[in-house]
Every structure is written in structure tokens, then in C-alpha cells.
């Protein structure tokens, strides 16, 4: 069902785009000055977006999104009624977005087709719910031109944001195979942040242009542009933070305590299992950091564990190493949840948080597959894990690991992006 859903969304966006461009080319552009001004604003917003799209299809471009919504809700320009309509709105937005993302595509950072499909459908939804009602006079009869109109616009943009959230979760589910519920939760939480600012700015731009004309656009776009630049800096900081943790995790490999690439393999496969279990983005980030640092306690040992494989150690020794790792993790300044996962990975799984259960299972799997003491390969390692589900490993986690491996193996697993 997931693939047909994705193709339905893309097909609907493609048909709507074709109809909008054909209608606009045939009938010409109404109010070309306003169309050019909003197209320029949207293109600048897309150009200012320097972050890559994440695996869930999110690519924050708040200024471009706010400009597109403002054009969809533009009923007047300096007191004069506009007549651009729904199809021209879609055509202008599509042309502006394409113009703005060309440099990103050239640099290999362009958005995927799903991002463009969502933009087309959400803008069309907002314009279809406003333009016909406004230009027919029915909206003024119902709510007037005062605060009730502002309330209606905010309500409409709230519905638009909800529409975009549902589409984002559905497309991400089709693309990643993750459960729909956690994806929808993550998308809703993201909308409460920057999504609220986009909706509010879109309303202010539309109302400001209705009174003051197109000169209102640059005035109201400056705060959101600064916000967009701040988001880029935050993303860069998070990337640096993750790289620092990755480098710290490699200390066990450099010291000869673990096999090369062990922590990165455990982190990547743990994130894949976490997605299979439906963890949220924040939980996946904590899981990845803990998986990267799960062996950091071995740096405190006088005699290294052979091959760094802690899965076969006695419970007391494994617990001591985990507690040492949790203490080291706390001193590095990572979030407290990460240190808890590291120090509790050797506990019986019924006493562990979910992330610790995943790290313990995946760590044992990598030790069994990579170590010389279990030459049977992946299937034999999974069977060994299944035999330990009475005390050491949660059965659901082991089965999720088996499904992830069956779909492509650990070498194809991609870790969660920072943040």
C-alpha cells in the first residue's frame, strides 16, 4: 500500500502542476508585478536554504514556504482586488521553487520529488480554500474584513499545515518503510516549531500586502530569513557535535580495544532496528549516540577484552565495563539519556530502556559475526541471540534485527541524521 500511496501523491501533484502551467501559459499572468514579487521572494527563500533534505523528506525553507502561502492567501494588493486564482498560484510557486533549487541541484543538495509534491499540494489546498470564497464575496459576508478574517486565515493555514504533515508522514513511510504513527508524531512536533512561524508570517505577509502593497514583503520577510539562517547554524552545530562523538567513539579502535568499524556498525544497525520498532527522531538520536559510545568503558580496563567482544563476558564484568562507560559518557557532556543507555546495556533486558535493549542485541550480533569464536555467520549469530531471549535479549528486538538484515544487510543501513 505504501508505494501506491507515494505514486498517488506524486501523480496528483504532477497533474495539478501541468494543469496550472498550461492554464497560465494559455491565459497569461494576471497582475504580473505581484506574481514576480512573490516568485522572487520564494526563490530567495529556496536559495537561502543550504541544508540537505533528511531521510524523512524534511528540508526547511521557511521563507519560501511563507511566501508561497502568502501568495495563496493574497486577496488584495494595496487595496486593489487581485485575480490570479488557484491555478496561477500553483504555477508561480512551482516556477519560483524550481528557479530557487537549481543551484542546490547543481551542488548535489537538491530536494527530492516528494518535497516538491508536498509544496504543490499544500499551496493548492490553501489557495482553493481561500481564493474562490474571497473573490465571490462569500468570505466577506461570513467573516467580514476584521479580526474574524485573520482568525479564518490562521485556521486555514493550520489545516494546511496538518495536510502537509499527513503527506510528509505518508511519503516518508513509503520511502523508509517505518511505521506511520511515529513518523506522524515527529512531523507534528516539527510543525509546532518552525511551522507555526511559517503560518503566522504567511498571514502577516498577505494582510500587509493587502494594505501597504508589495513593499510589505521585504519588511516582513527579514525576521523569517534570519530565523532560517539560525536554523542552518544549529544544523551545522549538531553535525559537528555528532562528528565529535563519532571521533570519541573511535578512541576504542585506536587503542586496540575493539575491532575497526565496530562502533559505527553497531550505531548504524541499531538505528535501523530502532526505526523498525517505531522510535521517534529524538529517541533515534539518543540511540545512535549511545551505540557509538557503548564500548567507551573499555578504555578504563588494564587488560583489554579479546577482540573487544563484550557479549561473552560474565555478567559482572560486562556490567562493570558498562558502568565505567556511562561515567565516561557523562564527563563528555552528552545528554543524560545517552549515559543511561551506555551504563545499562549489560542489565537484564526486562530492566533496560528500549535503546539499551537494542544496543545490547546489536552489539552482541556484531561481536558474534565478526569474532573468530562464532564462525557460523549471520544465521548462526541470530540463532545464538534467539537462545538468549529468556534473559539477555528482548525477543522483539531480535526479530526486528532479523527483518532488517533480511532486507539488505548491515552494510546498507544508514544512521539517523543529527538532530
Amino acid at each position: 500500500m505504501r508505494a501506491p500511496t507515494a505514486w498517488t501523491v506524486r501523480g496528483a501533484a504532477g497533474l495539478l502542476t501541468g494543469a496550472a502551467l498550461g492554464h497560465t501559459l494559455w491565459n497569461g499572468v494576471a497582475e504580473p508585478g505581484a506574481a514576480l514579487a512573490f516568485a522572487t521572494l520564494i526563490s530567495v527563500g529556496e536559495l537561502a536554504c543550504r541544508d540537505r533534505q533528511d531521510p524523512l523528506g524534511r528540508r526547511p525553507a521557511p521563507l519560501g514556504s511563507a511566501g508561497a502561502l502568502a501568495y495563496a492567501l493574497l486577496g488584495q494588493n494595496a487595496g486593489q482586488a487581485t485575480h490570479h486564482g488557484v491555478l496561477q498560484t500553483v504555477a508561480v510557486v512551482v516556477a519560483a521553487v524550481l528557479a530557487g533549487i537549481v543551484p542546490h541541484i547543481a551542488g548535489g543538495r537538491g530536494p527530492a520529488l516528494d518535497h516538491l509534491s508536498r509544496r504543490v499540494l499544500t499551496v493548492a489546498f490553501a489557495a482553493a480554500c481561500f481564493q474562490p470564497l474571497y473573490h465571490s464575496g462569500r468570505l466577506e459576508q461570513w467573516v467580514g474584513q476584521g479580526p474574524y478574517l485573520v482568525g479564518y486565515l490562521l485556521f486555514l493555514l493550520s489545516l494546511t499545515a496538518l495536510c502537509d504533515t499527513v503527506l510528509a508522514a505518508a511519503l516518508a513511510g513509503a520511502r523508509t518503510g517505518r511505521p506511520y504513527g511515529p513518523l506522524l508524531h515527529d512531523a507534528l512536533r516539527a510543525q509546532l516549531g518552525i511551522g507555526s512561524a511559517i503560518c503566522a508570517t504567511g498571514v502577516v505577509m498577505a494582510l500587509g500586502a493587502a494594505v501597504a502593497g508589495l513593499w510589505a514583503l521585504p519588511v516582513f520577510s527579514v525576521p523569517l530569513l534570519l530565523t532560517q539562517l539560525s536554523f542552518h547554524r544549529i544544523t551545522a552545530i549538531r553535525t559537528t557535535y555528532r562528528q565529535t562523538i563519532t571521533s570519541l567513539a573511535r578512541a576504542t579502535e585506536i587503542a586496540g580495544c575493539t575491532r575497526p568499524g565496530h562502533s559505527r556498525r553497531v550505531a548504524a544497525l541499531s538505528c535501523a532496528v530502532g526505526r523498525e520498532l517505531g522510535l521517534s527522531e529524538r529517541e533515534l538520536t539518543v540511540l545512535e549516540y549511545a551505540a557509538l559510545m557503548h564500548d567507551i568503558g573499555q578504555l578504563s580496563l588494564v587488560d583489554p577484552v579479546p577482540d573487544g567482544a563484550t557479549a561473552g563476558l560474565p555478567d559482572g564484568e560486562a556490567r562493570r565495563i558498562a558502568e565505567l562507560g556511562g561515567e565516561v559518557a557523562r564527563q563528555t557532556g552528552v545528554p543524560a539519556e545517552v549515559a543511561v543507555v551506555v551504563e545499562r546495556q549489560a542489565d537484564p533486558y526486562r530492566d533496560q530502556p528500549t535503546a539499551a535493549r537494542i544496543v545490547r542485541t546489536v552489539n552482541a550480533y556484531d561481536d558474534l559475526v565478526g569474532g573468530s569464536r562464532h564462525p557460523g555467520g549471520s544465521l548462526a549469530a541470530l540463532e545464538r541471540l534467539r537462545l538468549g531471549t529468556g534473559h539477555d535479549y528482548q525477543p522483539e528486538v531480535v526479530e526486528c534485527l532479523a527483518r532488517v538484515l533480511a532486507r539488505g544487510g548491515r552494510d546498507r543501513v544508514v544512521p539517523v541524521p543529527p538532530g
Side-chain angles (χ1 to χ4, degrees), residues 88-243:
Q88 180 174 310
T89 299
V90 174
V92 169
V93 169
V94 169
V97 170
L98 292 177
I101 66 175
V102 166
H104 298 304
I105 294 176
R109 303 187 308 273
L113 180 61
D114 291 347
H115 172 80
L116 299 177
S117 300
R118 285 168 44 204
R119 180 70 66 86
V120 169
L121 294 177
T122 52
V123 168
F125 176 81
C129 291
F130 175 79
Q131 297 282 346
L133 291 177
Y134 185 87
H135 293 302
S136 65
R138 281 177 290 182
L139 185 59
E140 185 174 2
Q141 293 175 1
W142 293 345
V143 300
Q145 290 289 342
Y148 292 111
L149 176 60
V150 178
Y152 173 78
L153 294 179
L154 290 174
F155 173 73
L156 174 56
L157 286 187
S158 299
L159 290 180
T160 303
L162 181 60
C163 174
D164 181 63
T165 300
V166 171
L167 289 174
L171 291 171
R175 186 169 54 254
T176 64
R178 290 182 55 191
Y180 179 75
L183 290 172
L184 182 61
H185 177 269
D186 291 336
L188 285 171
R189 187 173 61 178
Q191 285 288 3
L192 292 177
I194 191 62
S196 301
I198 291 173
C199 292
T201 304
V203 170
V204 171
M205 282 184 177
L207 295 176
V211 176
L214 300 177
W215 290 105
L217 298 183
V219 175
F220 293 120
S221 65
V222 171
L224 201 57
L225 180 60
L226 295 177
T227 301
Q228 183 165 331
L229 296 177
S230 298
F231 264 83
H232 174 71
R233 295 190 62 184
I234 292 173
T235 301
I237 292 172
R238 287 175 173 172
T239 301
T240 303
Y241 184 63
R242 181 182 177 276
Q243 292 171 346

Side-chain angles (χ1 to χ4, degrees), residues 3 9 14 27 34 40 63 66 90 132 145 155 178 186-187 206 213 249 265 295 321 336 341 347 352 363 367 375 408:
V9 172
N27 295 283
T40 302
L63 183 58
V90 174
Q145 290 289 342
F155 173 73
R178 290 182 55 191
D186 291 336
R265 289 193 301 271
D295 273 332
I321 294 174
V341 173
D347 294 348
Q352 292 175 318
N363 174 58
D367 285 345

Side-chain angles (χ1 to χ4, degrees), residues 15 25 58 67 95 102 122 158 183 189 200-201 235 265-266 292 322 331 340 364 368 401:
L15 290 175
L25 291 174
R58 294 193 300 256
V102 166
T122 52
S158 299
L183 290 172
R189 187 173 61 178
T201 304
T235 301
R265 289 193 301 271
V266 171
L292 285 169
Q331 294 177 4
V340 170
L368 291 170
L401 173 61

Side-chain angles (χ1 to χ4, degrees), residues 71-99:
Y71 191 53
L73 302 180
L74 184 67
Q76 292 186 1
N77 180 11
Q80 301 295 321
T82 59
H83 305 89
H84 51 281
V86 177
L87 291 179
Q88 180 174 310
T89 299
V90 174
V92 169
V93 169
V94 169
V97 170
L98 292 177

